[in-house]
Amino acid sequence: MTSSTPPKAKQPRPVQTWHFARRTPGFLTDLQKEHGDVFGIHFQKRPWTIVAHPDAVKQVFTAPTSALRAGSGNEILGPPLGQHSLLLLDGAEHMRQRRMLLPSFHGEKLALQKAAMERVAEQQVALMPRGTPFALRPRMQSIALEVIMEVVLGTAATGVQHDTLSKAVEDLLEWLMVPRRLITTGMLGPKHPVVKWMFRSVLQPLDQGLYALIAERRLATDLDERDDILSMMLLARDEEGNPMSDAEVRDELVTLIVAGHETTSTALSWAFERLSRDPAGLARLEAESHTDATEWSDAVAKEALRLRPVLDFVVRAVHEPIEIAGYNFVPGDIVTPCIKLVHMREDIYPDAEAFKPERWLDTKPGTYTWIPFGGGTRRCIGLSFAMAEMDVVLRAVARSAHVEPVGDEEHAVSRFITSSPSRGGEVLIPA
Ligand code: HEM
Protein backbone atom coordinates (compact mmCIF):
# COMPACT_ATOMS: atom_id res chain seq x y z
CA MET A 1 0.00 0.00 0.00
CA THR A 2 1.14 3.55 -0.65
CA SER A 3 0.91 6.02 2.20
CA SER A 4 -0.24 9.08 0.28
CA THR A 5 -3.50 10.95 0.73
CA PRO A 6 -5.32 12.70 -2.15
CA PRO A 7 -4.72 16.40 -2.93
CA LYS A 8 -7.30 18.79 -1.46
CA ALA A 9 -9.14 21.93 -2.54
CA LYS A 10 -7.46 24.92 -0.94
CA GLN A 11 -10.33 27.39 -0.46
CA PRO A 12 -11.63 27.92 3.11
CA ARG A 13 -14.47 25.58 4.14
CA PRO A 14 -17.26 28.24 4.02
CA VAL A 15 -16.22 29.16 0.46
CA GLN A 16 -16.32 25.48 -0.60
CA THR A 17 -19.68 25.05 1.14
CA TRP A 18 -21.08 28.03 -0.73
CA HIS A 19 -19.89 26.83 -4.16
CA PHE A 20 -21.01 23.30 -3.46
CA ALA A 21 -24.51 24.18 -2.26
CA ARG A 22 -24.96 26.71 -5.12
CA ARG A 23 -23.70 24.28 -7.78
CA THR A 24 -21.31 26.99 -8.98
CA PRO A 25 -20.55 26.10 -12.63
CA GLY A 26 -16.99 24.91 -13.04
CA PHE A 27 -16.34 24.49 -9.29
CA LEU A 28 -15.69 20.76 -9.54
CA THR A 29 -14.26 20.70 -13.07
CA ASP A 30 -11.72 23.37 -12.11
CA LEU A 31 -10.67 21.31 -9.08
CA GLN A 32 -10.39 18.22 -11.29
CA LYS A 33 -8.18 20.16 -13.75
CA GLU A 34 -5.97 21.33 -10.89
CA HIS A 35 -5.74 18.12 -8.85
CA GLY A 36 -6.64 15.18 -11.14
CA ASP A 37 -9.35 12.53 -10.90
CA VAL A 38 -9.21 12.01 -7.12
CA PHE A 39 -9.26 15.05 -4.82
CA GLY A 40 -10.65 16.25 -1.51
CA ILE A 41 -13.26 18.92 -0.78
CA HIS A 42 -14.42 20.07 2.65
CA PHE A 43 -17.93 21.43 3.01
CA GLN A 44 -19.68 19.02 5.38
CA LYS A 45 -18.77 17.98 8.88
CA ARG A 46 -16.29 15.53 7.35
CA PRO A 47 -14.22 16.14 4.17
CA TRP A 48 -15.14 14.22 1.01
CA THR A 49 -12.81 12.63 -1.53
CA ILE A 50 -14.24 13.06 -5.01
CA VAL A 51 -13.59 10.16 -7.40
CA ALA A 52 -13.91 10.92 -11.13
CA HIS A 53 -12.19 8.00 -12.91
CA PRO A 54 -14.14 4.86 -13.92
CA ASP A 55 -11.38 2.52 -12.61
CA ALA A 56 -11.58 4.14 -9.19
CA VAL A 57 -15.41 4.12 -9.37
CA LYS A 58 -15.21 0.37 -10.00
CA GLN A 59 -12.99 -0.05 -6.94
CA VAL A 60 -15.56 1.83 -4.86
CA PHE A 61 -18.63 -0.01 -6.19
CA THR A 62 -17.03 -3.45 -5.82
CA ALA A 63 -15.36 -2.87 -2.42
CA PRO A 64 -16.50 -5.15 0.44
CA THR A 65 -19.46 -3.65 2.28
CA SER A 66 -17.49 -4.04 5.51
CA ALA A 67 -15.00 -1.47 4.15
CA LEU A 68 -17.22 1.05 2.32
CA ARG A 69 -20.74 1.76 3.53
CA ALA A 70 -23.42 3.76 1.76
CA GLY A 71 -25.81 3.87 4.71
CA SER A 72 -23.58 5.84 7.03
CA GLY A 73 -22.46 7.91 4.01
CA ASN A 74 -26.10 8.90 3.42
CA GLU A 75 -26.66 9.93 7.05
CA ILE A 76 -27.63 13.45 6.00
CA LEU A 77 -30.92 11.93 4.76
CA GLY A 78 -31.64 10.49 8.22
CA PRO A 79 -33.96 13.16 9.62
CA PRO A 80 -36.69 12.89 6.95
CA LEU A 81 -36.27 9.23 5.93
CA GLY A 82 -35.76 7.62 9.36
CA GLN A 83 -33.19 5.16 10.71
CA HIS A 84 -34.74 2.09 9.00
CA SER A 85 -34.60 3.64 5.51
CA LEU A 86 -32.96 1.39 2.91
CA LEU A 87 -30.75 4.35 2.00
CA LEU A 88 -29.50 4.58 5.59
CA LEU A 89 -28.93 0.91 6.42
CA ASP A 90 -25.73 -1.09 6.00
CA GLY A 91 -24.53 -4.69 6.07
CA ALA A 92 -26.90 -7.54 6.96
CA GLU A 93 -29.73 -5.17 7.91
CA HIS A 94 -29.52 -3.48 4.50
CA MET A 95 -29.58 -6.82 2.68
CA ARG A 96 -32.58 -7.96 4.78
CA GLN A 97 -34.64 -4.88 3.90
CA ARG A 98 -33.51 -4.83 0.27
CA ARG A 99 -34.55 -8.49 -0.15
CA MET A 100 -37.98 -7.71 1.29
CA LEU A 101 -38.47 -4.75 -1.08
CA LEU A 102 -37.07 -6.26 -4.29
CA PRO A 103 -40.18 -8.32 -5.24
CA SER A 104 -42.12 -5.03 -5.54
CA PHE A 105 -39.80 -4.05 -8.40
CA HIS A 106 -39.86 -7.30 -10.39
CA GLY A 107 -40.70 -7.28 -14.09
CA GLU A 108 -44.29 -8.50 -13.83
CA LYS A 109 -45.10 -5.74 -11.33
CA LEU A 110 -43.58 -3.17 -13.70
CA ALA A 111 -46.19 -3.97 -16.34
CA LEU A 112 -48.98 -3.04 -13.88
CA GLN A 113 -47.07 0.01 -12.69
CA LYS A 114 -46.64 1.16 -16.31
CA ALA A 115 -50.40 1.17 -16.77
CA ALA A 116 -50.72 3.63 -13.85
CA MET A 117 -47.92 5.75 -15.34
CA GLU A 118 -49.65 5.91 -18.71
CA ARG A 119 -53.00 6.91 -17.24
CA VAL A 120 -51.56 9.64 -15.01
CA ALA A 121 -49.28 10.98 -17.77
CA GLU A 122 -52.14 11.27 -20.29
CA GLN A 123 -54.29 13.16 -17.74
CA GLN A 124 -51.54 15.60 -16.81
CA VAL A 125 -50.38 16.27 -20.39
CA ALA A 126 -53.95 17.26 -21.30
CA LEU A 127 -53.89 19.84 -18.48
CA MET A 128 -50.67 21.54 -19.64
CA PRO A 129 -51.17 25.18 -20.72
CA ARG A 130 -51.17 26.00 -24.44
CA GLY A 131 -49.87 29.31 -25.85
CA THR A 132 -48.18 30.51 -22.67
CA PRO A 133 -44.73 29.61 -21.23
CA PHE A 134 -44.67 27.40 -18.15
CA ALA A 135 -42.17 25.39 -16.08
CA LEU A 136 -42.32 21.66 -16.64
CA ARG A 137 -40.84 20.62 -13.29
CA PRO A 138 -44.00 21.15 -11.18
CA ARG A 139 -46.02 19.32 -13.84
CA MET A 140 -43.54 16.45 -13.96
CA GLN A 141 -43.58 16.40 -10.19
CA SER A 142 -47.38 16.06 -10.14
CA ILE A 143 -47.14 13.11 -12.53
CA ALA A 144 -44.33 11.41 -10.59
CA LEU A 145 -45.94 12.04 -7.20
CA GLU A 146 -49.31 10.73 -8.34
CA VAL A 147 -47.68 7.64 -9.87
CA ILE A 148 -45.55 6.86 -6.82
CA MET A 149 -48.42 7.42 -4.35
CA GLU A 150 -50.63 5.09 -6.34
CA VAL A 151 -47.99 2.42 -6.85
CA VAL A 152 -46.51 2.57 -3.34
CA LEU A 153 -49.55 3.28 -1.17
CA GLY A 154 -52.39 2.12 -3.38
CA THR A 155 -54.47 5.06 -2.20
CA ALA A 156 -55.86 6.15 -5.57
CA ALA A 157 -59.40 5.21 -4.64
CA THR A 158 -59.51 6.78 -1.18
CA GLY A 159 -59.79 10.52 -1.88
CA VAL A 160 -59.25 12.43 1.38
CA GLN A 161 -56.45 10.18 2.65
CA HIS A 162 -54.72 10.37 -0.72
CA ASP A 163 -54.95 14.16 -0.89
CA THR A 164 -53.78 14.65 2.72
CA LEU A 165 -50.75 12.41 2.25
CA SER A 166 -49.84 13.95 -1.13
CA LYS A 167 -49.98 17.42 0.44
CA ALA A 168 -47.80 16.29 3.39
CA VAL A 169 -45.20 14.86 0.96
CA GLU A 170 -45.24 18.03 -1.16
CA ASP A 171 -44.84 20.21 1.94
CA LEU A 172 -41.90 18.11 3.15
CA LEU A 173 -40.20 18.29 -0.24
CA GLU A 174 -40.62 22.06 -0.58
CA TRP A 175 -39.33 22.51 2.97
CA LEU A 176 -36.24 20.41 2.22
CA MET A 177 -35.46 22.43 -0.91
CA VAL A 178 -34.46 25.54 1.04
CA PRO A 179 -30.60 25.40 0.78
CA ARG A 180 -29.94 26.59 4.36
CA ARG A 181 -31.69 23.49 5.73
CA LEU A 182 -29.30 21.16 3.90
CA ILE A 183 -26.35 23.32 4.89
CA THR A 184 -27.43 23.34 8.58
CA THR A 185 -27.97 19.56 8.55
CA GLY A 186 -24.59 19.02 6.85
CA MET A 187 -22.64 21.34 9.15
CA LEU A 188 -24.22 20.27 12.48
CA GLY A 189 -24.78 16.63 11.60
CA PRO A 190 -28.20 14.90 11.32
CA LYS A 191 -28.36 13.87 14.99
CA HIS A 192 -27.87 17.36 16.41
CA PRO A 193 -30.81 18.47 18.63
CA VAL A 194 -31.29 21.66 16.57
CA VAL A 195 -31.62 19.57 13.40
CA LYS A 196 -34.10 17.19 15.07
CA TRP A 197 -36.14 20.14 16.31
CA MET A 198 -36.06 21.75 12.84
CA PHE A 199 -37.57 18.65 11.23
CA ARG A 200 -40.18 17.79 13.87
CA SER A 201 -43.09 19.98 12.76
CA VAL A 202 -42.76 19.32 9.02
CA LEU A 203 -42.68 15.53 9.53
CA GLN A 204 -45.61 15.35 11.95
CA PRO A 205 -48.54 15.47 9.45
CA LEU A 206 -46.85 12.96 7.13
CA ASP A 207 -46.06 10.51 9.92
CA GLN A 208 -49.55 10.79 11.36
CA GLY A 209 -51.10 10.03 7.95
CA LEU A 210 -48.74 7.15 7.21
CA TYR A 211 -49.11 5.41 10.58
CA ALA A 212 -52.92 5.66 10.24
CA LEU A 213 -52.74 4.13 6.76
CA ILE A 214 -50.40 1.33 7.92
CA ALA A 215 -52.75 0.47 10.82
CA GLU A 216 -55.76 0.46 8.49
CA ARG A 217 -54.01 -1.66 5.84
CA ARG A 218 -52.86 -4.21 8.42
CA LEU A 219 -56.55 -4.97 8.98
CA ALA A 220 -57.26 -5.53 5.26
CA THR A 221 -58.24 -9.09 4.39
CA ASP A 222 -57.24 -8.82 0.71
CA LEU A 223 -53.54 -8.00 1.12
CA ASP A 224 -52.39 -10.83 -1.12
CA GLU A 225 -54.67 -9.66 -3.94
CA ARG A 226 -53.46 -6.06 -3.83
CA ASP A 227 -50.66 -4.79 -6.08
CA ASP A 228 -49.47 -1.79 -4.09
CA ILE A 229 -46.01 -1.87 -2.49
CA LEU A 230 -47.37 -1.13 1.02
CA SER A 231 -49.47 -4.31 0.94
CA MET A 232 -46.45 -6.26 -0.35
CA MET A 233 -44.34 -4.84 2.50
CA LEU A 234 -46.90 -5.96 5.08
CA LEU A 235 -46.84 -9.49 3.67
CA ALA A 236 -43.03 -9.67 3.34
CA ARG A 237 -41.09 -11.87 5.79
CA ASP A 238 -37.35 -12.01 6.41
CA GLU A 239 -35.37 -15.27 6.47
CA GLU A 240 -36.46 -15.92 10.07
CA GLY A 241 -40.11 -15.34 9.19
CA ASN A 242 -40.37 -11.92 10.87
CA PRO A 243 -42.54 -9.17 9.35
CA MET A 244 -41.50 -5.51 9.05
CA SER A 245 -42.39 -3.31 12.04
CA ASP A 246 -44.58 -0.20 11.64
CA ALA A 247 -41.51 2.03 11.99
CA GLU A 248 -39.68 0.06 9.28
CA VAL A 249 -42.67 0.24 6.95
CA ARG A 250 -43.01 4.01 7.58
CA ASP A 251 -39.34 4.64 6.82
CA GLU A 252 -39.37 2.56 3.61
CA LEU A 253 -42.58 4.25 2.42
CA VAL A 254 -41.10 7.71 2.89
CA THR A 255 -37.86 6.54 1.24
CA LEU A 256 -39.62 5.19 -1.84
CA ILE A 257 -41.93 8.20 -2.15
CA VAL A 258 -39.18 10.79 -1.72
CA ALA A 259 -36.44 8.93 -3.65
CA GLY A 260 -38.90 7.88 -6.34
CA HIS A 261 -40.57 11.11 -7.37
CA GLU A 262 -38.27 14.11 -6.95
CA THR A 263 -35.53 12.29 -8.89
CA THR A 264 -37.72 11.13 -11.77
CA SER A 265 -39.47 14.48 -12.19
CA THR A 266 -36.15 16.32 -12.22
CA ALA A 267 -34.74 13.88 -14.80
CA LEU A 268 -37.79 14.45 -17.02
CA SER A 269 -37.52 18.24 -16.71
CA TRP A 270 -33.89 18.07 -17.81
CA ALA A 271 -34.77 15.74 -20.68
CA PHE A 272 -37.22 18.32 -22.07
CA GLU A 273 -34.93 21.25 -21.29
CA ARG A 274 -32.29 19.60 -23.52
CA LEU A 275 -34.60 18.06 -26.12
CA SER A 276 -36.60 21.25 -26.74
CA ARG A 277 -33.29 22.81 -27.89
CA ASP A 278 -32.62 19.91 -30.28
CA PRO A 279 -35.32 20.22 -33.01
CA ALA A 280 -34.20 17.10 -34.92
CA GLY A 281 -34.11 14.98 -31.74
CA LEU A 282 -37.53 16.27 -30.70
CA ALA A 283 -39.03 15.58 -34.13
CA ARG A 284 -37.68 12.03 -33.94
CA LEU A 285 -39.32 11.50 -30.53
CA GLU A 286 -42.61 12.95 -31.79
CA ALA A 287 -42.57 10.56 -34.75
CA GLU A 288 -41.62 7.55 -32.59
CA SER A 289 -44.31 8.35 -30.00
CA HIS A 290 -47.02 7.32 -32.49
CA THR A 291 -45.48 3.86 -32.87
CA ASP A 292 -44.69 1.01 -30.45
CA ALA A 293 -40.93 1.60 -30.77
CA THR A 294 -39.09 3.00 -27.74
CA GLU A 295 -35.53 3.04 -29.06
CA TRP A 296 -35.26 6.84 -29.32
CA SER A 297 -37.14 7.68 -26.10
CA ASP A 298 -34.84 5.29 -24.25
CA ALA A 299 -31.78 6.94 -25.82
CA VAL A 300 -33.13 10.40 -24.89
CA ALA A 301 -33.62 9.32 -21.27
CA LYS A 302 -30.12 7.83 -21.03
CA GLU A 303 -28.48 10.88 -22.59
CA ALA A 304 -30.41 13.31 -20.36
CA LEU A 305 -29.32 11.31 -17.30
CA ARG A 306 -25.71 11.37 -18.55
CA LEU A 307 -25.50 15.07 -19.38
CA ARG A 308 -27.66 16.37 -16.54
CA PRO A 309 -27.58 13.72 -13.80
CA VAL A 310 -30.11 14.37 -11.06
CA LEU A 311 -27.61 13.53 -8.34
CA ASP A 312 -24.01 14.64 -8.73
CA PHE A 313 -22.60 12.06 -6.29
CA VAL A 314 -23.07 8.83 -4.46
CA VAL A 315 -21.52 8.65 -1.03
CA ARG A 316 -19.58 5.88 0.74
CA ALA A 317 -18.20 6.05 4.29
CA VAL A 318 -14.93 4.23 4.97
CA HIS A 319 -15.19 1.69 7.84
CA GLU A 320 -12.00 -0.35 7.26
CA PRO A 321 -8.66 0.83 5.81
CA ILE A 322 -8.82 0.59 2.00
CA GLU A 323 -6.71 1.69 -0.95
CA ILE A 324 -8.45 3.40 -3.87
CA ALA A 325 -6.65 4.79 -6.92
CA GLY A 326 -3.35 4.42 -5.08
CA TYR A 327 -4.45 6.46 -2.05
CA ASN A 328 -4.97 5.19 1.47
CA PHE A 329 -8.31 5.74 3.19
CA VAL A 330 -9.02 5.15 6.85
CA PRO A 331 -12.22 4.79 8.91
CA GLY A 332 -13.99 8.14 9.09
CA ASP A 333 -13.08 9.15 5.52
CA ILE A 334 -15.82 9.73 2.94
CA VAL A 335 -15.37 8.64 -0.69
CA THR A 336 -17.78 9.97 -3.32
CA PRO A 337 -17.88 8.74 -6.93
CA CYS A 338 -18.81 11.89 -8.84
CA ILE A 339 -21.50 11.04 -11.38
CA LYS A 340 -21.25 14.43 -13.02
CA LEU A 341 -17.48 14.40 -13.59
CA VAL A 342 -17.45 10.77 -14.83
CA HIS A 343 -20.23 11.59 -17.31
CA MET A 344 -18.33 14.60 -18.67
CA ARG A 345 -15.14 12.69 -19.51
CA GLU A 346 -14.11 13.34 -23.12
CA ASP A 347 -12.19 10.02 -23.22
CA ILE A 348 -15.49 8.16 -22.70
CA TYR A 349 -17.99 10.59 -24.24
CA PRO A 350 -16.44 12.55 -27.14
CA ASP A 351 -18.06 16.00 -27.40
CA ALA A 352 -19.27 15.38 -23.85
CA GLU A 353 -20.99 18.77 -23.46
CA ALA A 354 -23.33 18.02 -26.40
CA PHE A 355 -26.75 16.38 -26.01
CA LYS A 356 -26.56 13.41 -28.40
CA PRO A 357 -29.10 10.64 -27.73
CA GLU A 358 -27.69 8.80 -30.77
CA ARG A 359 -24.71 7.82 -28.59
CA TRP A 360 -26.95 5.17 -27.06
CA LEU A 361 -28.51 3.64 -30.17
CA ASP A 362 -25.83 0.96 -30.52
CA THR A 363 -24.10 1.27 -27.17
CA LYS A 364 -25.06 -0.16 -23.81
CA PRO A 365 -24.35 2.01 -20.78
CA GLY A 366 -21.12 0.98 -19.04
CA THR A 367 -21.39 -0.21 -15.43
CA TYR A 368 -18.76 2.26 -14.25
CA THR A 369 -19.05 4.97 -16.91
CA TRP A 370 -22.85 5.64 -16.90
CA ILE A 371 -23.73 5.86 -13.23
CA PRO A 372 -26.81 8.09 -12.70
CA PHE A 373 -28.26 5.34 -10.50
CA GLY A 374 -25.05 4.63 -8.55
CA GLY A 375 -23.72 1.08 -8.43
CA GLY A 376 -22.75 -2.15 -6.70
CA THR A 377 -25.05 -3.61 -4.05
CA ARG A 378 -26.50 -0.13 -3.51
CA ARG A 379 -27.55 0.58 -7.09
CA CYS A 380 -30.92 2.34 -7.21
CA ILE A 381 -33.70 -0.16 -6.55
CA GLY A 382 -36.05 1.95 -8.70
CA LEU A 383 -33.87 2.01 -11.87
CA SER A 384 -36.27 0.07 -14.11
CA PHE A 385 -39.25 1.88 -12.61
CA ALA A 386 -37.65 5.28 -13.30
CA MET A 387 -36.57 4.39 -16.85
CA ALA A 388 -40.08 3.08 -17.60
CA GLU A 389 -41.65 6.26 -16.23
CA MET A 390 -39.31 8.48 -18.24
CA ASP A 391 -40.16 6.52 -21.36
CA VAL A 392 -43.93 6.72 -20.75
CA VAL A 393 -43.91 10.45 -19.98
CA LEU A 394 -41.53 11.43 -22.81
CA ARG A 395 -43.76 9.62 -25.27
CA ALA A 396 -47.03 10.93 -23.78
CA VAL A 397 -45.87 14.55 -24.05
CA ALA A 398 -44.40 14.13 -27.54
CA ARG A 399 -47.59 12.42 -28.79
CA SER A 400 -49.88 15.33 -28.02
CA ALA A 401 -47.75 18.46 -27.64
CA HIS A 402 -44.86 20.19 -29.36
CA VAL A 403 -42.57 21.71 -26.71
CA GLU A 404 -40.57 24.78 -27.69
CA PRO A 405 -37.71 26.19 -25.59
CA VAL A 406 -38.15 29.48 -23.74
CA GLY A 407 -35.16 31.79 -23.17
CA ASP A 408 -31.55 30.77 -22.69
CA GLU A 409 -30.29 27.34 -21.72
CA GLU A 410 -30.93 26.60 -18.05
CA HIS A 411 -28.17 25.89 -15.56
CA ALA A 412 -28.26 23.52 -12.60
CA VAL A 413 -29.48 24.76 -9.23
CA SER A 414 -29.59 22.81 -6.02
CA ARG A 415 -32.91 21.41 -4.74
CA PHE A 416 -31.94 19.62 -1.52
CA ILE A 417 -29.52 16.99 -2.87
CA THR A 418 -30.70 17.13 -6.50
CA SER A 419 -29.50 19.31 -9.40
CA SER A 420 -32.51 20.85 -11.08
CA PRO A 421 -32.93 23.18 -14.13
CA SER A 422 -32.72 26.82 -12.96
CA ARG A 423 -36.15 27.85 -14.31
CA GLY A 424 -37.72 24.44 -13.82
CA GLY A 425 -37.49 23.46 -17.51
CA GLU A 426 -39.45 26.33 -19.07
CA VAL A 427 -41.24 25.52 -22.35
CA LEU A 428 -44.02 26.77 -24.58
CA ILE A 429 -46.62 24.56 -26.20
CA PRO A 430 -48.09 26.58 -29.12
CA ALA A 431 -51.86 27.12 -28.89
C1 HEM B 1 -34.34 9.16 -12.56
C2 HEM B 1 -34.71 8.73 -11.37
C3 HEM B 1 -33.78 8.24 -10.29
C4 HEM B 1 -32.45 8.49 -10.09
C5 HEM B 1 -31.54 9.37 -10.94
C6 HEM B 1 -32.04 7.74 -8.92
C7 HEM B 1 -30.75 7.72 -8.42
C8 HEM B 1 -30.35 6.98 -7.31
C9 HEM B 1 -29.00 6.93 -6.81
C10 HEM B 1 -27.80 7.67 -7.39
C11 HEM B 1 -29.00 6.11 -5.73
C12 HEM B 1 -27.78 5.77 -4.83
C13 HEM B 1 -27.06 4.56 -5.40
C14 HEM B 1 -25.73 4.29 -4.74
O1 HEM B 1 -25.48 4.68 -3.60
O2 HEM B 1 -24.89 3.63 -5.40
C15 HEM B 1 -30.35 5.64 -5.54
C16 HEM B 1 -30.74 4.77 -4.54
C17 HEM B 1 -32.05 4.44 -4.29
N1 HEM B 1 -33.14 4.78 -5.06
FE1 HEM B 1 -33.12 5.83 -6.78
N2 HEM B 1 -33.12 7.08 -8.42
C18 HEM B 1 -34.21 7.33 -9.22
C19 HEM B 1 -35.48 6.83 -9.08
C20 HEM B 1 -35.89 6.04 -8.04
C21 HEM B 1 -37.22 5.47 -7.91
C22 HEM B 1 -38.33 5.64 -8.94
C23 HEM B 1 -37.25 4.79 -6.72
C24 HEM B 1 -38.37 4.03 -6.07
C25 HEM B 1 -39.54 3.83 -6.58
C26 HEM B 1 -35.93 4.91 -6.12
C27 HEM B 1 -35.56 4.36 -4.91
C28 HEM B 1 -34.26 4.27 -4.45
C29 HEM B 1 -33.88 3.57 -3.24
C30 HEM B 1 -34.81 2.87 -2.26
C31 HEM B 1 -32.48 3.66 -3.15
C32 HEM B 1 -31.59 3.04 -2.07
C33 HEM B 1 -31.02 1.69 -2.58
C34 HEM B 1 -30.11 1.00 -1.57
O3 HEM B 1 -29.41 1.69 -0.81
O4 HEM B 1 -30.08 -0.25 -1.56
N3 HEM B 1 -35.14 5.66 -6.95
N4 HEM B 1 -31.15 6.17 -6.53
Side-chain angles (χ1 to χ4, degrees), residues 61 70 74 86-87 94 98 105 148 255-256 259-260 263-264 267 305 310-311 313-316 339 371-375 377-383 385-386 390:
F61 284 164
N74 290 334
L86 192 64
L87 274 157
H94 170 257
R98 195 166 161 115
F105 293 94
I148 200 82
T255 301
L256 294 180
T263 45
T264 314
L305 285 164
V310 175
L311 299 165
F313 304 93
V314 293
V315 183
R316 300 289 186 265
I339 300 171
I371 52 169
F373 295 98
T377 55
R378 306 303 297 234
R379 198 177 72 166
C380 176
I381 203 170
L383 186 156
F385 185 99
M390 286 189 74

Side-chain angles (χ1 to χ4, degrees), residues 321-339:
I322 186 167
E323 186 189 312
I324 295 160
Y327 295 115
N328 278 348
F329 294 89
V330 294
D333 288 344
I334 301 277
V335 180
T336 55
C338 181
I339 300 171

Side-chain angles (χ1 to χ4, degrees), residues 4-5 15 59 61 67 72 74 83 89 104 107 123 151 167 170 183 188 191 213 249 277 300 306 332 352 394 412 426:
S4 58
T5 54
V15 176
Q59 283 182 292
F61 284 164
S72 48
N74 290 334
Q83 56 170 327
L89 295 172
S104 304
Q123 283 163 0
V151 166
K167 168 91 174 53
E170 275 171 333
I183 294 173
L188 296 178
K191 294 187 180 128
L213 182 66
V249 173
R277 290 173 173 80
V300 167
R306 178 194 71 82
L394 282 166
E426 220 183 344

Side-chain angles (χ1 to χ4, degrees), residues 147-204:
V147 168
I148 200 82
M149 296 291 280
E150 204 170 300
V151 166
V152 172
L153 301 181
T155 55
T158 53
V160 179
Q161 201 171 34
H162 168 270
D163 294 350
T164 314
L165 280 168
S166 296
K167 168 91 174 53
V169 173
E170 275 171 333
D171 288 349
L172 171 63
L173 259 291
E174 283 316 309
W175 189 91
L176 287 172
M177 296 313 159
V178 178
R180 75 183 138 81
R181 297 195 169 122
L182 179 65
I183 294 173
T184 311
T185 310
M187 301 272 282
L188 296 178
K191 294 187 180 128
H192 195 281
V194 170
V195 173
K196 284 190 178 164
W197 171 83
M198 219 170 68
F199 274 89
R200 194 168 300 147
S201 58
V202 70
L203 286 175
Q204 201 262 342

Side-chain angles (χ1 to χ4, degrees), residues 183-366:
I183 294 173
T184 311
T185 310
M187 301 272 282
L188 296 178
K191 294 187 180 128
H192 195 281
V194 170
V195 173
K196 284 190 178 164
W197 171 83
M198 219 170 68
F199 274 89
R200 194 168 300 147
S201 58
V202 70
L203 286 175
Q204 201 262 342
L206 178 62
D207 287 352
Q208 200 180 337
L210 284 178
Y211 281 120
L213 182 66
I214 295 167
E216 187 190 300
R217 193 66 55 80
R218 281 204 191 277
L219 300 176
T221 49
D222 62 346
L223 280 186
D224 51 354
E225 286 156 38
R226 301 181 64 111
D227 292 313
D228 56 85
I229 295 181
L230 168 57
S231 298
M232 286 187 254
M233 274 188 208
L234 296 182
L235 286 173
R237 296 291 178 268
D238 65 13
E239 276 159 358
E240 271 121 51
N242 300 312
M244 289 166 76
S245 67
D246 280 3
E248 285 176 326
V249 173
R250 178 266 173 216
D251 290 356
E252 299 314 352
L253 291 178
V254 178
T255 301
L256 294 180
I257 294 169
V258 172
H261 97 279
E262 176 69 20
T263 45
T264 314
S265 53
T266 305
L268 278 162
S269 312
W270 275 125
F272 283 110
E273 192 278 339
R274 291 290 81 199
L275 195 61
S276 62
R277 290 173 173 80
D278 171 14
L282 181 61
R284 193 163 172 179
L285 180 68
E286 287 169 356
E288 190 191 72
S289 71
H290 295 284
T291 71
D292 289 336
T294 56
E295 188 189 43
W296 189 249
S297 58
D298 184 58
V300 167
K302 285 180 183 142
E303 180 66 348
L305 285 164
R306 178 194 71 82
L307 188 55
R308 297 288 186 266
V310 175
L311 299 165
D312 290 347
F313 304 93
V314 293
V315 183
R316 300 289 186 265
V318 178
H319 280 253
E320 286 171 0
I322 186 167
E323 186 189 312
I324 295 160
Y327 295 115
N328 278 348
F329 294 89
V330 294
D333 288 344
I334 301 277
V335 180
T336 55
C338 181
I339 300 171
K340 178 123 194 111
L341 289 180
V342 170
H343 286 186
M344 294 309 290
R345 292 185 69 95
E346 282 288 328
D347 55 347
I348 304 164
Y349 300 107
D351 201 7
E353 287 281 355
F355 179 72
K356 289 184 172 175
E358 56 273 23
R359 290 180 205 277
W360 302 106
L361 290 180
D362 301 311
T363 311
K364 275 192 171 173

